[in-house]
Amino acid sequence: MVNIFYIMSAVVAHVNSISVGMCQGFSAVLLPQLLDSSSSILVNNVEASWIASLGVVSNPLGALMSGVFMQTLGRRMTVQLTAVPFLIGWTVIGLSTDVTYLCLGRFVSGVAIGMSSACYVYVAEVSLAKHRGVLSAFGPIFVSIGVLFVYSLGAIMPWQIVSILCVLTSFLSFLTVNLIPESPSWLASKGRVTDAGKALMWLRRKPSVADKELAEILNTLSVNGDGGGGGGGGEGAERTAAAGPRLRDFLAPAVWKPFLILVCFFVLQEASGVYVILYYAVNFFQVAGSTLDNNLASIMVALLRLIMSITGSICIQHLNRRTMAITSAVLMAVSMAACGTYQLMYSALDVDDRPFSWVPLVCILFNVSVSMLGMVPLPWMMIGEMFPLNVRGIMGGLVPSLGYFFIFITVKVSPGLMSALETDQIMWLFAAAAAVAACFCFAFLPETRGKSLHQVEQLFNSPPANGTGYPEKRFRPKESAVYSIS
């Protein structure tokens, strides 16, 4: 029987992801309205690029803040605090009377986007290994819902009304987080074993399952605390965990290896153009020469993102992470190469005179679809499962901050890139980056499907001599680490 409370925790934690999608998609409907001659706030191209990019430039700040908050205040509290800058940012945007207030609102809401990385860490820690993938995939689904929401409303309403409606989602998120417990792993890491047991009982509803999981958490904390010794948990584990991470913890292979992998993954993700299409959807379709109404095409992009996010959540429960990432990257490369070839062949002709004028639209929509199967969601989902518990909060803020910084660079330089390069060159650039990403995932991306967070940590330790894929020293819960919470 499915535990509805367990699923509810993941859903509630990811409500902030709807606001993330709204913010990411908002510039695609805001900028065309601002650039219209009848707009109450007139902007030039430079100001428009700043309005779009300021929704991203503050993302790293928010992510770093979330890392500190997760480590000190807790995962659940950080998820709830994420809704506050969303509320402030959307309100300022909706009431804006000039460019300055628009930029301020975008900056503040961008902080909230960065803080939302806490959702993935929380969900990873409250999930069972067999369900972690699909529950983490709720995040991309909710982001896609948010993008579809603003694209659809932006096509029929002024941006001021759209932004005020977005406030309601932030308010809903702030309230509903009160219904879910704090992460048991974080509570145990602070020595609050009794509270961790109560949280596990709320999540699992079975004393035997909760007892076993608490024992594993305490044993993992003890092993990390003594540098790999076999401490048996209990008070020693609590004292070690409560002391917090030390410098040597960040120098361990289980930390720097996944750090480098995820940073490289993010660089290749941005270079493949997925966020260029998201932030500049309307403009991008104009550049690509699509004959379809640009707002309608943008809504189609958002709808496809949602459908493929749901499809990806189903696939991630049955397919390996590496397989999905490689397949996604290869198909993205093919779609962009096909679009680039078309542009190279027919760019000299007027849009109305080009044969098969539907090709650019199909290629872009196909690219968006396959990106949602791996390249877009996986690096965000894997942040919460690839780092050890004692540094997961800090690294869960640091890595997203770098990912968001790369997005900012991409969004900021995109208008200049579209002006400096021919359309076919842009497409080929995206295709090349996706091809490199496929090779990278094949060579370096670890497989985490179905593994507990402790097993994932062990993947990055010294290679074993027995060829099993894990070190000789396997994890075994100690008798003394078992706490009864029934």
Side-chain angles (χ1 to χ4, degrees):
M1 183 177 178
V2 178
N3 183 353
I4 189 171
F5 296 95
Y6 170 45
I7 297 175
M8 184 181 77
S9 295
V11 171
V12 168
H14 277 311
V15 171
N16 274 324
S17 296
I18 299 178
S19 295
V20 171
M22 291 174 176
C23 286
Q24 290 181 340
F26 190 64
S27 61
V29 297
L30 171 65
L31 298 185
Q33 292 187 33
L34 291 179
L35 292 169
D36 189 276
S37 58
S38 61
S39 173
S40 58
I41 302 178
L42 296 177
V43 300
N44 54 40
N45 288 330
V46 174
E47 291 171 331
S49 72
W50 273 110
I51 291 171
S53 58
L54 278 172
V56 186
V57 69
S58 55
N59 293 174
L61 173 62
L64 290 174
M65 289 170 56
S66 75
V68 175
F69 292 160
M70 281 192 286
Q71 200 72 24
T72 56
L73 302 179
R75 297 6 175 181
R76 187 187 75 93
M77 178 62 72
T78 305
V79 172
Q80 186 168 40
L81 289 176
T82 299
V84 175
F86 272 133
L87 282 166
I88 297 172
W90 282 120
T91 302
V92 171
I93 291 172
L95 300 178
S96 293
T97 55
D98 58 34
V99 174
T100 301
Y101 285 107
L102 276 176
C103 290
L104 177 62
R106 291 286 289 169
F107 184 89
V108 173
S109 59
V111 171
I113 292 179
M115 291 180 63
S116 68
S117 58
C119 303
Y120 291 98
V121 175
Y122 177 86
V123 171
E125 291 187 348
V126 302
S127 302
L128 293 170
K130 62 182 179 180
H131 296 145
R132 191 174 63 245
V134 67
L135 293 180
S136 295
F138 285 176
I141 291 174
F142 284 12
V143 170
S144 298
I145 290 174
V147 174
L148 178 61
F149 182 84
V150 293
Y151 279 4
S152 302
L153 292 183
I156 59 176
M157 294 182 179
W159 57 266
Q160 295 94 332
I161 303 299
V162 176
S163 58
I164 294 301
L165 291 176
C166 291
V167 172
L168 300 178
T169 303
S170 307
F171 187 65
L172 175 66
S173 175
F174 184 85
L175 292 179
T176 54
V177 172
N178 291 309
L179 302 175
I180 60 178
E182 180 55 85
S183 160
S185 297
W186 181 82
L187 290 169
S189 74
K190 298 301 179 182
R192 297 167 58 182
V193 178
T194 301
D195 291 337
K198 292 178 180 178
L200 281 169
M201 271 299 300
W202 192 96
L203 291 164
R204 307 295 181 240
R205 300 287 155 165
K206 292 183 179 180
S208 59
V209 176
D211 280 348
K212 180 180 178 181
E213 190 166 340
L214 180 59
E216 292 176 350
I217 292 172
L218 292 175
N219 215 21
T220 299
L221 286 168
S222 178
V223 169
N224 287 338
D226 62 15
E235 294 180 2
E238 295 169 31
R239 287 195 301 269
T240 301
R246 296 153 295 184
L247 177 60
R248 70 174 185 176
D249 295 330
F250 294 95
L251 301 177
V255 178
W256 66 260
K257 286 183 180 179
F259 172 78
L260 291 179
I261 290 172
L262 286 173
V263 167
C264 291
F265 202 165
F266 273 116
V267 169
L268 293 171
Q269 180 199 66
E270 314 323 327
S272 65
V274 291
Y275 285 98
V276 175
I277 297 175
L278 176 63
Y279 277 79
Y280 296 101
V282 174
N283 309 67
F284 196 77
F285 282 115
Q286 293 173 343
V287 171
S290 171
T291 57
L292 192 65
D293 176 77
N294 295 316
N295 285 315
L296 179 58
S298 300
I299 293 173
M300 290 177 63
V301 168
L303 185 59
L304 268 178
R305 278 178 58 96
L306 175 58
I307 294 172
M308 296 308 296
S309 296
I310 297 172
T311 303
S313 69
I314 297 173
C315 292
I316 208 167
Q317 190 69 8
H318 303 285
L319 299 176
N320 291 336
R321 307 280 204 272
R322 292 178 73 250
T323 301
M324 294 182 64
I326 294 169
T327 302
S328 174
V330 169
L331 293 177
M332 286 174 64
V334 171
S335 63
M336 285 292 96
C339 194
T341 302
Y342 179 90
Q343 293 295 327
L344 179 62
M345 294 174 62
Y346 300 112
S347 59
L349 300 177
D350 291 335
V351 173
D352 294 334
D353 297 331
R354 296 178 185 179
F356 311 109
S357 58
W358 46 266
V359 169
L361 176 63
V362 170
C363 288
I364 293 171
L365 293 180
F366 182 77
N367 180 275
V368 170
S369 298
V370 297
S371 71
M372 296 307 300
L373 293 178
M375 283 294 290
V376 171
L378 280 179
W380 300 105
M381 292 167 55
M382 297 178 80
I383 289 171
E385 63 184 17
M386 287 180 66
F387 293 104
L389 173 58
N390 59 334
V391 300
R392 192 174 297 142
I394 297 296
M395 300 307 292
L398 177 60
V399 174
S401 72
L402 293 174
Y404 285 124
F405 175 74
F406 300 145
I407 295 176
F408 163 69
I409 295 298
T410 303
V411 172
K412 189 67 180 72
V413 304
S414 291
L417 189 69
M418 292 179 187
S419 300
L421 299 179
E422 298 294 334
T423 305
D424 62 291
Q425 294 174 326
I426 296 174
M427 303 298 183
W428 280 107
L429 182 64
F430 292 162
V436 173
C439 296
F440 172 82
C441 293
F442 178 79
F444 299 108
L445 193 68
E447 184 52 61
T448 60
R449 174 175 170 252
K451 293 181 173 63
S452 69
L453 296 181
H454 180 80
Q455 289 175 323
V456 173
E457 178 183 343
Q458 294 296 84
L459 288 174
F460 299 104
N461 288 327
S462 300
N466 59 2
T468 61
Y470 295 94
E472 289 284 357
K473 182 178 179 179
R474 302 299 298 275
F475 172 75
R476 293 286 188 274
K478 304 281 185 176
E479 291 287 341
S480 59
V482 178
Y483 283 73
S484 176
I485 46 182
S486 56

